[in-house]
Amino acid sequence: MAGARAGPKLPGRLRMLELDGIHTYYGDSHVLRGVSLSVGAGEVVCLLGRNGAGKTTTILTAMGYVKPRTGRIAYRARNITALRPFEIARLGVGYVPQERGIFPSLTVVENLTVFARGTRRGRWTLPRIFALFPVLEARVGHLGFQLSGGEQQMLSIARALMLNPTLLLLDEPSEGLAPMILQQIVTAIKSLRNEGLAILLVEQNLRTALALGDRHHVLNKGEICYTGSSAELGGNDTVLRDYLSV
Amino acid sequence: MEFFLEQILNGLVYGVLLFLTAAGLSLIFGLMNVVSLAHGSFFMMGGYVAYSLYRLTGSFWAALLLAPVPIVAAGVAMEVIFLRPLYRRGHLDQVLLTFGFTFIFLDAVQTIWGRDVLALPPPAVFDGVVALGTGVFSSYRLFLIGFGLAIALLLWLFLDRSQLGARVRAGVDDAAMAGGLGCNISALFTAIFGAGVALAALGGVAAGPIFGIYPGEDAEILIPAFIVIVVGGMGSLRGAFVGSLLIGEADTFGNAYMPQLALFLIYLVMAIVLLVRPQGLFGIKHGLAASPSGSTPAAPLPSRRALAIGLIGVAALVIYPLLVADYQRSLVTELLIFAIVAMSLDLLLGFTGLMSLGHAAFFGLGAYVVIVLGTFFDFNAWFGVALGIGAAALAALVIGYFCVRASGIPFLMLTLAFSQLVYSVALKWRDVTGGSDGIGLAVKPSLFGFTLSNSLTMYFVALFFFVLCFLGLRRLVSSPLGRVFIGIRENEARMLAIGYATRRYKLASFTIGGAVAGLAGGLYAVFNGFISPDAVYWSASGDILIMVMLGGAGTLLGPVFGAAAFLLMKNLVSTYSEHWLAIIGVVFVACVLFFPGGFWGTLRQVRIMTREKVPA
């Protein structure tokens, strides 16, 4: 039973995101082959796997950018399969794409505030963002294209937080970052987890994934081939060798 | 000195009118990568509606304020109902759709308001002159400059300072990302589209008291607005502003100080900008994106079957003229000639992926060369045809040299702009071209003693060249050179990466296509004995484009059938209805909506579907 494999049974309200039997195609190529997973409230779920395994496609499908041919996507028990990305974002899903998607001709502050939602009663405000990522405060007036890769990554996460989401989709936040910057971002994500934000995290870096994730799904050729906790995955040499090592 | 100052002010007048049109076009393009050829129509209709409102209310101000309302409604309806379903398809479909609407709008305007130039008086407050040194200057023109600059300032404040403006800029930067952050991009785009239409309509009203209101105003503002966008840079408001003033001043000073060359001056400005900064003064350099062409050439038929079908086709075309009367013979002769043009455009469009909206220029050039040389120098028509091909090829080489620096929509704008230059020359060089009256051959040329006034001889000449061009182009597209063309269509960046100097190949394709179109033009001149600027107007280029699209781009036979279907229909419709413009427009729209891929594409789709049903 997919549900049993995908995670513990939770009451609908607490199940932030649920993918059920997702099949996604790009033209004729069958990219996701029956992916089912769920993210509970306050849970960090990692997607691991080699390049081309379907990690980013899973995120894009969850966000509504790519429509699955079959399968069902639910957010807080509400069916969102047919919704467009902007509708999903407005429900409370923060999206941080792999390529970061900073608006190059907007300043840092504009990037943060342009699509901010619910800031009055919400928890995330500019001062709190700057407390989380102090480096952004020093850069407020800069344009998006003037930022370094690490700063862009922080800005992208911060911008998603300004929507006051209850679920965050993070696509490889560690990609191409210097170890020190990566450490800052890992610390920030940990503090988000401690605040109870649910996160679906795509991660190539096993160490980062084990440090952050409550549960891990390993994707291979569009299918989830392994599911386990950090302790289970860290100790499973077969999975690490067959599906993750390069 | 007063004269100089007056020219500067006149340049500003033209500049702000250009800005009102170009600002919307540029934002619409920046946000959704959509180009709307109907934008000039909204400008024109703004003037007409204002005229009626003025007659109704007697107030210029009421006309200025209210005229944009119905125009915006029409524009938004067009965007929501017709344009929106096309965003997932290629640019070409959007271009053809909006092109169809320019016909519909033009016909509507002519039906409601007639074809005469209408005058909109300026408001009483500004119906005078102000002293300017020792001379005077129209106070309405001064008002217009102030009005345009005020709108530019407001637009800038809106975009730069407001939350909604920031959302527009974010959308221009990365529409998909904005969507992922909760921005309803299609609603935002509809709003921007509406705002752009409103600006164009305002421009049309404001231009009324100075230039009058007349059919044809649409193209007259659209094409320089395209030039402005190419000069200023796509999607940049600052670029649209600076470009408008630059082009406005260049055109005005050209007309004042060197009227003979004025026509070329703005093209010269554009050419220099293209050479120095191909992305435009304020444009952002974009990487080459793989353009969704959506047209893969049909798998070739088994060659023996193809040969058999080809021979039957040619046999039918040989027997046909012997069985019918002069009129039918001439009709098919014309079809064959236009089939050659359509195939030549398809070499660019379907095989190389170059969206040219200026192909009629080369056709017209070939025709003009034959007739002008025949009339003034008594040239033998066949020598004339040969020279016409040369002239068309040379023109394509020169025009192409600038155009291939751009791709996609900018390429389309450039070809359109250059073809309008050819049109303007044909219109204004009266001594040689006969101006708008056109020019005709006094004596029909002959060939080996057979006079070509004999419809049978002419028919076979056209058939011969048609078969020659078909076989030649077929050979070309399956040659190594043709494979490079197809590679460029599929993915220019990749071709560049594996070592092909794609610009050179694009130029080669453009030149060959131009030469073949020149041949068709020469034949048309011999056949028709008459040519007028209508043959090189942008709508003529649109006709050729629709022939290709109707038949199916990326196949050689498709455009042949497309040309036949289009011409027969145009013939039929123009015989029975005054509103043939609108009907042609509706055909454009219907063709885009219901026949993506053309007849040929639809046929192939059906064939694939029937094949799939057969159990393997």
Side-chain angles (χ1 to χ4, degrees):
Chain A
M1 183 56 206
R5 253 184 82 188
K9 275 283 174 204
L10 291 162
R13 194 177 53 80
L14 291 173
R15 247 174 289 155
M16 301 307 296
L17 179 71
E18 237 184 340
L19 305 189
D20 192 9
I22 298 296
H23 288 264
T24 299
Y25 291 73
Y26 290 136
D28 286 335
S29 64
H30 195 167
V31 183
L32 295 186
R33 300 163 178 265
V35 169
S36 298
L37 61 85
S38 70
V39 182
E43 201 181 16
V44 177
V45 174
C46 285
L47 278 176
L48 295 123
R50 293 202 175 104
N51 285 337
K55 305 184 297 293
T56 294
T57 304
T58 305
I59 296 274
L60 290 177
T61 308
M63 197 59 211
Y65 281 107
V66 181
K67 290 296 165 202
R69 201 170 286 181
T70 55
R72 183 176 180 277
I73 306 161
Y75 169 75
R76 298 180 121 174
R78 177 181 165 180
N79 187 352
I80 59 165
T81 319
L83 296 191
R84 290 185 285 168
F86 84 89
E87 294 167 311
I88 295 173
R90 286 182 185 182
L91 288 177
V93 181
Y95 169 54
V96 182
Q98 195 173 1
E99 59 282 5
R100 289 143 198 176
I102 298 305
F103 302 117
S105 60
L106 271 58
T107 63
V108 167
V109 170
E110 282 178 329
N111 263 287
L112 288 171
T113 54
V114 62
F115 296 117
R117 298 183 71 80
T119 34
R120 205 169 303 151
R121 52 184 180 80
R123 294 172 306 159
W124 287 101
T125 54
L126 282 178
R128 282 210 61 210
I129 291 290
F130 293 144
L132 186 67
F133 296 118
V135 67
L136 292 181
E137 188 165 17
R139 298 291 229 148
V140 279
H142 287 72
L143 292 176
F145 76 92
Q146 296 167 322
L147 301 183
S148 73
E151 289 164 346
Q152 285 192 15
Q153 189 61 63
M154 293 177 199
L155 179 57
S156 188
I157 295 172
R159 186 179 59 182
L161 292 174
M162 287 296 281
L163 270 67
N164 282 297
T166 48
L167 169 71
L168 208 52
L169 305 179
L170 277 174
D171 198 349
E172 288 205 38
S174 70
E175 196 193 19
L177 296 184
M180 252 179 67
I181 308 284
L182 176 61
Q183 200 44 56
Q184 291 178 31
I185 285 179
V186 168
T187 311
I189 295 174
K190 273 183 183 158
S191 77
L192 296 177
R193 184 185 63 184
N194 294 341
E195 289 195 14
L197 192 60
I199 300 175
L200 179 60
L201 173 71
V202 165
E203 193 49 75
Q204 288 263 36
N205 185 330
L206 184 68
R207 272 238 308 265
T208 313
L210 293 178
L212 289 173
D214 296 312
R215 274 182 309 121
H216 305 271
H217 298 289
V218 179
L219 271 169
N220 184 47
K221 292 178 182 165
E223 286 174 274
I224 292 181
C225 59
Y226 175 83
T227 298
S229 68
S230 289
E232 290 163 357
L233 178 62
N236 193 326
D237 290 337
T238 326
V239 173
L240 296 181
R241 188 183 61 233
D242 289 353
Y243 299 116
L244 296 175
S245 67
V246 192
Chain B
M1 193 59 210
E2 272 78 29
F3 183 70
F4 184 77
L5 191 61
E6 194 187 328
Q7 295 318 312
I8 289 189
L9 290 175
N10 279 331
L12 280 177
V13 168
Y14 188 37
V16 298
L17 289 177
L18 282 175
F19 174 74
L20 289 174
T21 314
L25 264 178
S26 188
L27 278 181
I28 289 168
F29 183 84
L31 197 56
M32 288 305 262
N33 234 338
V34 165
V35 64
S36 163
L37 296 184
H39 213 67
S41 310
F42 297 127
F43 181 93
M44 175 179 72
M45 291 193 293
Y48 276 107
V49 171
Y51 174 81
S52 289
L53 283 169
Y54 175 77
R55 297 288 299 266
L56 207 68
T57 63
S59 158
F60 174 86
W61 302 113
L64 183 69
L65 281 177
L66 295 178
V69 176
I71 311 292
V72 168
V76 166
M78 181 183 94
E79 195 274 325
V80 171
I81 300 170
F82 294 99
L83 213 47
R84 197 177 277 184
L86 298 183
Y87 291 149
R88 283 170 179 277
R89 295 214 228 137
H91 289 314
L92 210 50
D93 285 335
Q94 299 153 11
V95 167
L96 283 175
L97 183 99
T98 54
F99 203 38
F101 273 100
T102 66
F103 289 125
I104 296 171
F105 290 146
L106 184 60
D107 193 82
V109 159
Q110 290 181 350
T111 306
I112 301 173
W113 287 281
R115 287 162 195 242
D116 299 329
V117 180
L118 302 179
L120 182 68
V125 203
F126 295 113
D127 194 8
V129 291
V130 289
L132 185 75
T134 53
V136 290
F137 194 75
S138 145
S139 59
Y140 179 74
R141 284 177 184 246
L142 278 183
F143 156 74
L144 182 49
I145 294 171
F147 177 71
L149 293 180
I151 288 198
L153 183 68
L154 282 177
L155 256 180
W156 177 76
L157 282 175
F158 161 73
L159 274 180
D160 203 63
R161 298 292 154 84
S162 75
Q163 173 87 349
L164 192 57
R167 290 185 177 175
V168 174
R169 279 182 291 137
V172 170
D173 276 353
D174 189 341
M177 187 66 235
L181 294 170
C183 173
N184 185 349
I185 279 289
S186 45
L188 182 66
F189 181 62
T190 302
I192 288 298
F193 196 91
V197 169
L199 287 179
L202 275 180
V205 183
I210 297 176
F211 299 108
I213 300 153
Y214 52 93
E217 226 184 338
D218 48 353
E220 265 175 45
I221 193 76
L222 182 70
I223 282 138
F226 277 176
I227 294 178
V228 162
I229 291 176
V230 169
V231 166
M234 293 279 179
S236 153
L237 190 75
R238 201 186 319 170
F241 184 71
V242 174
S244 296
L245 297 191
L246 194 63
I247 294 298
E249 294 294 348
D251 190 66
T252 308
F253 272 88
N255 275 313
Y257 288 100
M258 35 185 174
Q260 300 297 321
L261 297 175
L263 213 50
F264 299 97
L265 200 62
I266 60 173
Y267 289 89
L268 190 70
V269 171
M270 179 173 80
I272 293 170
V273 169
L274 273 174
L275 290 180
V276 181
R277 266 182 83 84
Q279 72 272 34
L281 296 175
F282 296 95
I284 297 155
K285 198 157 194 164
H286 286 288
L288 289 168
S291 54
S293 58
S295 59
T296 33
L301 292 165
S303 63
R304 202 179 292 171
R305 230 173 91 198
L307 192 66
I309 293 175
L311 285 177
I312 292 171
V314 171
L317 283 172
V318 168
I319 297 167
Y320 170 81
L322 307 172
L323 306 176
V324 296
D326 258 8
Y327 171 73
Q328 279 89 346
R329 229 180 261 157
S330 297
L331 188 62
V332 177
T333 309
E334 198 180 342
L335 299 187
L336 289 170
I337 293 171
F338 276 97
I340 298 176
V341 194
M343 286 190 298
S344 74
L345 177 61
D346 196 27
L347 176 68
L348 311 187
L349 185 74
F351 289 97
T352 323
L354 299 173
M355 292 189 289
S356 169
L357 192 49
H359 211 57
F362 308 116
F363 174 83
L365 208 57
Y368 267 109
V369 166
V370 171
I371 292 187
V372 168
L373 291 181
T375 306
F376 291 97
F377 304 100
D378 215 10
F379 256 51
N380 176 297
W382 300 107
F383 197 40
V385 170
L387 281 180
I389 296 172
L394 187 67
L397 189 68
V398 174
I399 292 174
Y401 179 76
F402 296 104
C403 296
V404 296
R405 278 151 206 282
S407 34
I409 290 297
F411 180 87
L412 180 132
M413 290 179 170
L414 285 172
T415 52
L416 175 58
F418 277 111
S419 81
Q420 268 320 86
L421 179 65
V422 173
Y423 168 76
S424 303
V425 171
L427 194 67
K428 295 193 175 150
W429 201 8
R430 298 191 65 92
D431 299 340
V432 174
T433 63
S436 57
D437 298 333
I439 184 170
L441 274 180
V443 199
K444 277 269 178 178
S446 61
L447 174 72
F448 308 131
F450 295 101
T451 163
L452 287 174
S453 57
N454 180 339
S455 64
L456 200 59
T457 320
M458 188 63 228
Y459 178 93
F460 281 112
V461 168
L463 181 60
F464 169 77
F465 279 109
F466 166 71
V467 173
L468 191 74
C469 286
F470 178 74
L471 293 177
L473 286 172
R474 208 176 111 110
R475 188 67 219 274
L476 175 64
V477 296
S478 53
S479 72
L481 180 62
R483 295 289 142 188
V484 178
F485 291 166
I486 293 171
I488 291 172
R489 176 194 74 192
E490 291 299 318
N491 195 332
E492 186 177 348
R494 199 169 291 169
M495 290 304 279
L496 204 59
I498 59 174
Y500 287 95
T502 52
R503 264 189 203 172
R504 236 178 279 165
Y505 286 95
K506 278 158 52 176
L507 186 56
S509 172
F510 198 75
T511 308
I512 297 170
V516 177
L519 165 68
L523 289 175
Y524 184 74
V526 173
F527 161 72
N528 199 37
F530 172 80
I531 187 83
S532 75
D534 288 345
V536 288
Y537 197 54
W538 70 315
S539 59
S541 292
D543 285 353
I544 306 173
L545 194 60
I546 196 79
M547 290 173 194
V548 175
M549 296 303 286
L550 198 60
T555 66
L556 273 181
L557 270 185
V560 174
F561 290 115
F566 182 77
L567 284 176
L568 288 175
M569 186 200 61
K570 195 166 177 173
N571 231 305
L572 200 73
V573 171
S574 57
T575 318
Y576 292 109
S577 171
E578 281 175 35
H579 295 289
W580 64 273
L581 261 180
I583 295 174
I584 298 286
V586 170
V587 168
F588 267 60
V589 172
C591 167
V592 171
L593 293 180
F594 303 120
F595 287 107
F599 291 159
W600 210 252
T602 310
L603 198 72
R604 191 150 25 109
Q605 211 65 43
V606 170
R607 223 162 70 190
I608 290 168
M609 271 158 56
T610 48
R611 203 180 295 156
E612 269 177 359
K613 272 181 198 153
V614 180

